[in-house]
Amino acid sequence: MVRYAATHLEPAKSARSRGAYLRVSFKNTRETAQAINGWKLTRAVTYLNNVIEHKEAVPMRRYAGGTGRAAQGKQFGVSRARWPVKSAEHLLTLLKNAEANADTKGLDTGNLIIKHIQVNQAPKQRRRTYRAHGRVSHFGFPDTHE
C-alpha cells in the first residue's frame, strides 16, 4: 500500500499518482508543481509540453536566487522564470499516470482538476569522486519524491 500525503480526498471521486527517488532537481520540480496546482489536467499537460518546448516559462518564486529574468514570466506576475525541462517531463509522466488511474476508475478525464500536488526531498545518493593526491570527496545529487 502506497502512502499519500493528502488523506482527505474522496477515493471514489479522485485519482492519485506518486513518484519516489526521482533523479530530478527538488527546487525546480517544486516550482513547476506549484505553477500547475489548482489547474485542470488538460491545461496542465499543455503547459508542461509548452515548458519543454520553451513556449511558456515556470515562475520561480521561492527558490529564485540567481535566476535570470524572462519575459514569459509576465503571465504569472513575476520577472524571474525558467524552463525546467527535466522536471516538466517527470511531472508530465505523473499526470498521465493519474489520468490513466482516473480512467480505470471510470471518472471523466476531461474534468479532472489538480487539487493537491506535493514535492518532497529524497535522501541524497552516496557517491564519491576521486581527487588529486589520493583524496576522495563526497559527490551527491538530491533526489525528489513527487
Side-chain angles (χ1 to χ4, degrees):
M1 178 90 185
V2 180
R3 192 170 150 256
Y4 293 97
T7 57
H8 62 278
L9 299 175
E10 193 172 332
K13 294 184 178 180
S14 63
R16 298 179 174 195
S17 180
R18 186 171 188 260
Y21 302 103
L22 301 175
R23 294 294 309 270
V24 63
S25 169
F26 161 73
K27 294 181 180 182
N28 287 341
T29 309
R30 187 257 175 208
E31 298 287 357
T32 310
Q34 289 304 309
I36 63 173
N37 193 13
W39 288 10
K40 284 197 164 197
L41 184 70
T42 54
R43 169 65 180 124
V45 168
T46 58
Y47 173 73
L48 292 176
N49 284 326
N50 288 340
V51 168
I52 292 170
E53 296 170 1
H54 285 36
K55 292 180 181 175
E56 286 186 271
V58 174
M60 296 292 166
R61 292 189 165 99
R62 179 175 294 176
Y63 301 108
T67 302
R69 293 178 288 196
Q72 290 180 0
K74 288 180 187 175
Q75 83 183 75
F76 296 100
V78 298
S79 61
R80 297 177 294 185
R82 280 187 175 165
W83 300 269
V85 173
K86 195 172 177 183
S87 298
E89 289 170 348
H90 279 280
L91 285 173
L92 197 58
T93 57
L94 284 175
L95 291 181
K96 293 201 181 214
N97 182 257
E99 184 180 14
N101 292 343
D103 193 32
T104 303
K105 283 186 173 185
L107 300 175
D108 182 19
T109 57
N111 292 328
L112 292 178
I113 297 174
I114 301 171
K115 284 284 189 185
H116 178 82
I117 190 163
Q118 180 175 341
V119 178
N120 294 330
Q121 289 188 26
K124 294 181 179 164
Q125 292 185 347
R126 290 170 176 86
R127 294 185 296 167
R128 61 178 72 174
T129 182
Y130 299 97
R131 311 299 295 266
H133 309 292
R135 293 176 297 138
V136 178
S137 295
H138 172 71
F139 184 64
F141 184 84
D143 292 340
T144 302
H145 296 306
E146 294 175 357

